[in-house]
Amino acid sequence: MGYVIELDVYQGPFDLLLDLVAKNEVDLWDIPIAAITEQYLAYLYSLQEKDLAITGEFLVMAATLIRIKSRMLLPQEPPEDETLEESEDPRTELVQQLVRYKFFKEAADFLQQRYAEAARQFTRGQRIESYDLAPVYTCPVGELTLEELRSIYQELISESEKEPPVHTISSTISLEERLALVRLQLMGQPRATFSELVREDSVAEIVVTFLAVLELARLGEIRLIQTKSFGEIDIRPLELEVEVQA
Amino acid sequence: MKLSDARVVIEGLIFASEAPVSAQEIAAITELDVSVVESLVEEIREQHAQGALMIRNVGGGYQMVTKPGLAPWIEKLGRPVVSAPLSAASTETLAIIAYQQPVTKAEIEQIRGVRSDSAINNLLDRELICELGRKAGPGRPILYGVTEKFFEHFGLRSTDELPLKGITEWK
Amino acid sequence: MKLSDARVVIEGLIFASEAPVSAQEIAAITELDVSVVESLVEEIREQHAQGALMIRNVGGGYQMVTKPGLAPWIEKLGRPVVSAPLSAASTETLAIIAYQQPVTKAEIEQIRGVRSDSAINNLLDRELICELGRKAGPGRPILYGVTEKFFEHFGLRSTDELPLKGITEWK
């Protein structure tokens, strides 16, 4: 098919049709379809005579126009309902498409105008170097008040003073002692939980107890079960477990 | 910061900004209220009433440009023409995208009644439109919308400035 | 062309020129004498005396630039604008710096018990703290202190006005 080159005068079949409607000075909502179809086809023939290729869309529209024309020639059946009559006008869909296209064609004219205007306004010629993109903070302190700042500071200072130095932990409670203690606590128990073992203890003692429990597990004396992160640790003395199963 | 100083800072920011700079951005940088920024921009405009420069509202920001009447002289500087004028096909396509964004190629072609691939590619090349994502549904077609550059090129504040934006009864 | 018009044209040419534009080029475009162009440029300079812009002579031509004093604001252009409040970590770090300045990162981390690099960077970005110099001694660590902006935000004249500033005997 040779229908590859677009018509340079018209943007498409809608454009051509709108032009014909304008030239005939007829109402877009009441197009004399027979006359317009005739002119539309005449235009396409004239292009063919000049050996200009016609794109497929123009031919599709030609077919549409002929179909509408023939439908309008058919005798109208008496309408059963007054409201139905108008929607059965075979031109309706085409007219709606034309109205829609016309709107955007006018919008395009507006854009062309604005473009011409804006093109006459020149921006600054020189370019400045781009700077690094550290963000700009609109409210750098947020809702923070001076009183909050003070109390945060006081809390930090008292926390940092309260916490005993790390080296005193190991010197007061030895791992061996704690290991023996945990064995004692588990004796005769079918199971225990870690929190039962450390009920009254300080953070330092909890750490040593935890190490002792890990050591017992490594030695195969107990089994540890924890079903979720930071959850309770169940301690099962292994010898006992075997006895129960037997 | 005194308001007279603020006015000078704002003038400098609008001059120096690569892209149009919004009242909000200026407010963030200067730590002033947006309404104060806006009224200072008006003062700067008055200051430049007799000069060569003006501040235009474009794409949600301010931009300093020469007044249109000076175009004939400035063109003699040999500044490259911003770009060749848009074809009618591209302008139609652009108008549809500006009004209907986000919109697919099929929707554009339905309105124009002709294939619009080359117009779309042309507009993408000029960075006047961009892909906004994909539409849900069969084929997941690309959705197009207009860019910041579109507003700048056409000297528009926003799509609200397009004429008769309300006319959508045929939609 | 009237001289007042010529002045406006010249202002536009200097603004819009990609490269610095010489008095000779301007004279050629405006069909004025070079000496007239030069005196009109002086007039434009005076016109901008109160504003943000100035015309500098550079590379044998004129160029419109912002006045040097505006640099701190203009450097903020194009940066993302963030309105997020301070994190707990940054607030703690800020409190320590406000009360203990000048203070090193190691000293801050000792009090907080955790690494504080990102909190310090965040506070530097927000311009609430700044580097005050370096501490004498091994590694010469950076000393941090609060900024003018910090005082402005809390309505303080100095760190002496911080509540209960006296409680530092444990230091």
Side-chain angles (χ1 to χ4, degrees):
Chain A
M1 291 228 287
Y3 312 131
V4 281
I5 301 164
E6 197 175 349
L7 303 174
D8 48 2
V9 189
Y10 295 108
Q11 286 308 307
F14 291 146
D15 201 10
L16 171 53
L17 274 177
L18 279 181
D19 193 43
L20 292 177
V21 167
K23 279 180 181 150
N24 284 275
E25 293 177 359
V26 292
D27 184 0
L28 187 55
W29 293 96
D30 190 20
I31 298 172
I33 207 79
I36 294 290
T37 303
E38 199 178 305
Q39 291 170 28
Y40 183 93
L41 294 174
Y43 181 76
L44 293 196
Y45 291 140
S46 76
L47 289 176
Q48 263 184 339
E49 278 167 15
K50 288 180 207 155
D51 272 346
L52 287 170
I54 300 163
T55 55
E57 293 101 349
F58 282 89
L59 297 176
V60 171
M61 178 57 73
T64 306
L65 286 171
I66 292 163
R67 196 176 65 239
I68 294 171
K69 185 180 149 192
S70 61
R71 277 187 59 195
M72 288 191 74
L73 289 173
L74 291 174
Q76 295 265 329
E77 282 176 33
E80 293 162 28
D81 186 342
E82 290 267 313
T83 56
L84 263 171
E85 194 183 15
E86 239 179 321
S87 66
E88 279 177 355
D89 188 329
R91 297 172 297 183
T92 304
E93 198 192 334
L94 177 65
V95 170
Q96 279 170 347
Q97 286 174 324
L98 283 174
V99 167
R100 188 171 62 173
Y101 174 75
K102 188 165 179 272
F103 173 82
F104 286 110
K105 196 174 154 55
E106 282 162 7
D109 290 342
F110 166 82
L111 285 180
Q112 288 282 22
Q113 249 172 48
R114 288 304 294 250
Y115 185 79
E117 231 168 272
R120 283 151 54 82
Q121 301 167 344
F122 288 86
T123 54
R124 190 171 50 90
Q126 300 91 27
R127 293 275 153 250
I128 48 167
E129 322 84 84
S130 52
Y131 297 92
D132 71 292
L133 296 179
V136 171
Y137 290 92
T138 51
C139 52
V141 294
E143 300 287 289
L144 185 67
T145 65
L146 211 47
E147 195 43 45
E148 283 163 353
L149 197 68
R150 181 195 60 78
S151 70
I152 287 163
Y153 178 66
Q154 274 190 324
E155 215 167 290
L156 279 168
I157 292 303
S158 58
E159 277 293 316
S160 71
E161 282 174 337
K162 190 170 70 188
E163 208 165 336
V166 178
H167 57 88
T168 57
I169 299 171
S170 49
S171 63
T172 50
I173 317 146
S174 79
L175 185 58
E176 286 73 24
E177 280 169 6
R178 181 61 54 160
L179 208 62
L181 195 65
V182 170
R183 279 196 183 112
L184 249 158
Q185 281 174 299
L186 292 175
M187 201 172 280
Q189 302 273 349
R191 52 179 292 182
T193 63
F194 184 70
S195 48
E196 282 166 10
L197 293 184
V198 296
R199 203 163 282 154
E200 303 275 299
D201 291 353
S202 71
V203 176
E205 285 172 301
I206 291 169
V207 171
V208 181
T209 305
F210 186 65
L211 291 173
V213 167
L214 289 181
E215 181 64 10
L216 286 175
R218 194 184 66 81
L219 294 171
E221 293 181 34
I222 57 170
R223 197 163 66 147
L224 298 175
I225 299 156
Q226 188 181 34
T227 50
K228 63 175 189 234
S229 300
F230 304 110
E232 182 60 85
I233 301 169
D234 272 322
I235 301 167
R236 307 272 171 89
L238 276 181
E239 282 176 324
L240 208 70
E241 204 170 30
V242 173
E243 278 174 15
V244 170
Q245 278 172 355
Chain B
M1 183 157 55
K2 278 190 302 181
L3 280 187
S4 60
D5 292 346
R7 198 177 54 215
V8 173
V9 168
I10 293 170
E11 189 187 358
L13 289 172
I14 296 172
F15 170 86
S17 180
E18 207 84 12
V21 59
S22 70
Q24 285 72 22
E25 282 173 86
I26 295 173
I29 291 171
T30 56
E31 299 180 13
L32 294 168
D33 283 345
V34 170
S35 61
V36 175
V37 170
E38 285 169 344
S39 75
L40 288 171
V41 169
E42 287 315 310
E43 284 184 32
I44 298 166
R45 283 196 165 122
E46 277 163 40
Q47 254 181 289
H48 283 281
Q50 303 304 316
L53 311 179
M54 60 178 226
I55 294 171
R56 68 175 179 188
N57 288 57
V58 59
Y62 300 114
Q63 187 177 44
M64 200 177 272
V65 293
T66 57
K67 290 179 182 165
L70 298 175
W73 280 280
I74 290 165
E75 278 159 9
K76 290 185 189 168
L77 273 175
R79 280 199 67 169
V81 177
V82 183
S83 49
L86 283 173
S87 69
S90 295
T91 317
E92 271 183 29
T93 306
L94 188 59
I96 293 166
I97 295 172
Y99 276 86
Q100 305 251 298
Q101 65 173 350
V103 63
T104 66
K105 184 164 81 72
E107 287 159 356
I108 295 165
E109 290 178 344
Q110 213 185 347
I111 293 171
R112 294 193 59 221
V114 289
R115 285 181 67 87
S116 304
D117 305 72
S118 72
I120 289 172
N121 286 335
N122 181 264
L123 293 170
L124 285 169
D125 282 348
R126 287 171 185 253
E127 291 172 19
L128 293 172
I129 63 165
C130 60
E131 297 184 5
L132 292 179
R134 284 174 181 275
K135 193 173 182 171
R140 295 184 38 75
I142 296 166
L143 289 163
Y144 297 97
V146 293
T147 59
E148 280 294 310
K149 205 165 166 181
F150 164 81
F151 293 113
E152 234 181 284
H153 264 63
F154 292 90
L156 293 170
R157 274 169 222 239
S158 70
T159 49
D160 292 339
E161 264 196 7
L162 292 168
L164 302 169
K165 180 79 169 88
I167 300 192
T168 44
E169 71 256 28
W170 44 262
K171 249 180 129 171
Chain C
M1 182 159 53
K2 279 191 300 181
L3 280 186
S4 60
D5 291 345
R7 197 176 57 213
V8 173
V9 168
I10 294 169
E11 189 186 359
L13 288 172
I14 296 172
F15 171 86
S17 180
E18 205 87 19
V21 59
S22 68
Q24 286 72 22
E25 283 174 87
I26 295 172
I29 290 171
T30 56
E31 297 177 12
L32 294 166
D33 283 347
V34 171
S35 62
V36 175
V37 170
E38 284 169 345
S39 75
L40 287 173
V41 169
E42 286 315 310
E43 283 184 37
I44 298 167
R45 283 194 166 123
E46 275 163 44
Q47 246 181 292
H48 282 283
Q50 303 304 316
L53 312 178
M54 59 179 229
I55 293 170
R56 66 172 181 190
N57 291 57
V58 59
Y62 301 114
Q63 187 178 43
M64 198 177 275
V65 291
T66 53
K67 290 179 181 164
L70 297 177
W73 280 279
I74 289 167
E75 281 168 14
K76 292 185 185 176
L77 274 175
R79 295 198 202 166
V81 173
V82 175
S83 60
L86 279 174
S87 67
S90 296
T91 311
E92 279 184 20
T93 306
L94 182 63
I96 294 165
I97 295 171
Y99 278 87
Q100 305 239 322
Q101 70 167 3
V103 62
T104 66
K105 184 164 82 74
E107 287 160 357
I108 294 164
E109 290 177 345
Q110 211 184 349
I111 294 170
R112 292 193 59 221
V114 288
R115 285 182 66 89
S116 305
D117 304 71
S118 73
I120 289 172
N121 286 336
N122 184 263
L123 293 170
L124 286 169
D125 278 349
R126 287 173 187 253
E127 293 170 25
L128 292 170
I129 64 166
C130 60
E131 297 182 6
L132 292 179
R134 283 174 182 277
K135 193 174 184 170
R140 297 185 36 75
I142 295 165
L143 288 163
Y144 296 97
V146 291
T147 60
E148 277 299 310
K149 200 163 170 180
F150 170 87
F151 293 125
E152 246 173 73
H153 276 288
F154 290 104
L156 296 173
R157 269 174 293 184
S158 73
T159 50
D160 293 338
E161 280 190 0
L162 287 168
L164 300 168
K165 175 69 170 109
I167 306 191
T168 45
E169 65 263 28
W170 47 265
K171 246 182 125 173

